[in-house]
Amino acid sequence: MDNSNLTYKALRGIAKQAAQNMGLFSEAVQVVLNTDRFKNENIDLYNVYISYPHKQPQKLLSGQTPNTTYYYLLGLINGSKTKQDTLKIDNDFIKSHLQVIKG
């Protein structure tokens, strides 16, 4: 992974994709620049917030490098994709058994 490709804009795009894969509004996963960093650090650090409907936003990741934030967001995307695939398999299994029971 080349660090020059991990800009704030790119991370926000990945966060938008993660939110959509999780079945939330595209702005539900937010990447925010951490303002609590020390002045002598040359690396931008990010926080990740997720807001679920009718709840306050939850901070899930705090003060992480662009690489860590990138891999965390990829984990959200892959985890939600795995859950969707599992639910589809379960639904297909149940539907096929209901058809057998109905005759």
Side-chain angles (χ1 to χ4, degrees):
M1 171 65 41
D2 184 13
N3 286 338
S4 64
N5 291 339
L6 286 177
T7 63
Y8 177 67
K9 189 173 183 178
L11 289 174
R12 286 191 60 204
I14 296 168
K16 183 177 181 177
Q17 183 181 359
Q20 291 170 345
N21 280 5
M22 292 169 65
L24 301 170
F25 290 112
S26 60
E27 299 299 320
V29 178
Q30 291 289 317
V31 176
V32 180
L33 188 63
N34 187 359
T35 57
D36 296 335
R37 63 189 178 135
F38 296 108
K39 300 267 186 217
N40 57 0
E41 290 181 7
N42 293 330
I43 292 179
D44 289 337
L45 300 176
Y46 298 100
N47 298 333
V48 176
Y49 294 89
I50 295 184
S51 16
Y52 294 100
H54 310 295
K55 292 186 179 179
Q56 290 288 81
Q58 301 174 355
K59 185 190 292 187
L60 296 179
L61 194 67
S62 177
Q64 298 298 316
T65 63
N67 279 345
T68 304
T69 305
Y70 172 77
Y71 287 116
Y72 180 79
L73 293 172
L74 284 184
L76 288 178
I77 292 170
N78 291 334
S80 60
K81 181 66 176 155
T82 302
K83 182 177 178 183
Q84 289 171 357
D85 291 344
T86 304
L87 290 175
K88 183 182 180 324
I89 291 169
D90 289 347
N91 285 340
D92 292 344
F93 179 78
I94 291 169
K95 286 179 185 177
S96 66
H97 278 72
L98 286 177
Q99 289 176 353
V100 169
I101 291 170
K102 287 181 182 177

